[in-house]
């Protein structure tokens, strides 16, 4: 059949979550509203921005928790009680809606930052901190170098982690 998809953007809390300080119940409610909206308006797929800026909106062993999802110390233990991608895929599949994980694994920061600023802004688990040789700081922002073979392999590992760990219809590269 036809693909009728809507996108749920997470970078800068554009569509979800409405705030980076919500409880798991509030987050579930927002995701339920997204699924209800998709069903009401005839969408059969949701493109969920699971990796908005080289960080994760799912339980990742490769990427840090997204700074757009949880602020402060709570973000490190939050996955113990709630995984938004898992919740969304379960809620959507109950009514026949597929979820695709949209990822932007190259974007690190919207502005150019010094190495010290990056260390202060990013989680120590960030690939930009762990692998500074992968980083391009080009005046328009900070990015992982797409021509670097290690970065390419890393993107493949993110896609593998998502497809093996979640009931998603596919992975969409964005950015």
């Amino acid at each position: 059949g036809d693909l009728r998809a809507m996108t749920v953007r997470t970078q800068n809390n554009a569509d979800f979550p409405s705030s980076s300080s919500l409880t798991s119940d509030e987050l579930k409610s927002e995701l339920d509203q997204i699924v209800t909206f998709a069903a009401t308006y005839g969408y059969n797929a949701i493109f969920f921005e699971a990796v908005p800026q080289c960080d994760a909106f799912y339980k990742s062993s490769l990427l840090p928790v997204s700074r757009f999802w949880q602020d402060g110390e709570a973000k490190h233990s939050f996955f113990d009680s709630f995984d938004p991608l898992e919740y969304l895929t379960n809620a959507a599949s109950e009514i026949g809606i597929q979820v695709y994980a949209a990822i932007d694994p190259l974007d690190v920061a919207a502005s150019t930052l010094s190495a010290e600023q990056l260390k202060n802004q990013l989680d120590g688990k960030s690939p930009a901190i762990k692998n500074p040789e992968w980083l391009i700081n080009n005046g328009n922002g900070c990015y992982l170098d797409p021509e670097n073979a290690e970065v390419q392999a890393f993107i493949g590992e993110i896609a593998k982690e998502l497809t093996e760990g979640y009931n998603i219809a596919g992975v969409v590269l964005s950015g």
Side-chain angles (χ1 to χ4, degrees), residues 127-136 143-145 148 150-151:
I129 300 297
K130 292 167 59 175
N131 304 287
E133 68 279 7
W134 292 3
L135 197 60
I136 295 173
Y143 303 91
L144 298 185
D145 182 358
N148 182 308
E150 291 176 318
V151 170

Side-chain angles (χ1 to χ4, degrees), residues 39-105:
T40 300
Y41 291 97
Y43 293 102
N44 61 9
I46 297 171
F47 288 19
F48 180 76
E49 193 173 40
V51 179
Q53 206 168 47
C54 206
D55 52 13
F57 267 84
Y58 67 95
K59 287 183 184 179
S60 177
S61 64
L62 302 169
L63 298 167
V65 174
S66 178
R67 61 188 173 274
F68 305 117
W69 179 22
Q70 274 296 4
D71 288 331
E73 293 303 314
K75 73 180 185 178
H76 298 291
S77 62
F78 201 69
F79 280 128
D80 295 339
S81 63
F82 180 69
D83 181 332
L85 182 57
E86 180 180 46
Y87 186 87
L88 177 64
T89 57
N90 290 338
S93 70
E94 287 179 9
I95 58 173
I97 296 176
Q98 297 179 325
V99 175
Y100 291 79
I103 65 171
D104 188 351

Side-chain angles (χ1 to χ4, degrees), residues 102-164:
I103 65 171
D104 188 351
L106 300 175
D107 188 9
V108 175
S111 60
T112 58
L113 301 171
S114 69
E116 190 61 34
Q117 289 170 316
L118 277 174
K119 285 180 185 177
N120 290 334
Q121 181 176 334
L122 302 177
D123 188 299
K125 189 177 174 183
S126 172
I129 300 297
K130 292 167 59 175
N131 304 287
E133 68 279 7
W134 292 3
L135 197 60
I136 295 173
N137 204 342
N138 68 2
N140 293 321
C142 296
Y143 303 91
L144 298 185
D145 182 358
E147 295 180 8
N148 182 308
E150 291 176 318
V151 170
Q152 294 169 8
F154 181 69
I155 293 168
E157 289 299 313
I158 293 170
K160 180 180 177 183
E161 179 176 68
L162 285 162
T163 57
E164 289 181 351

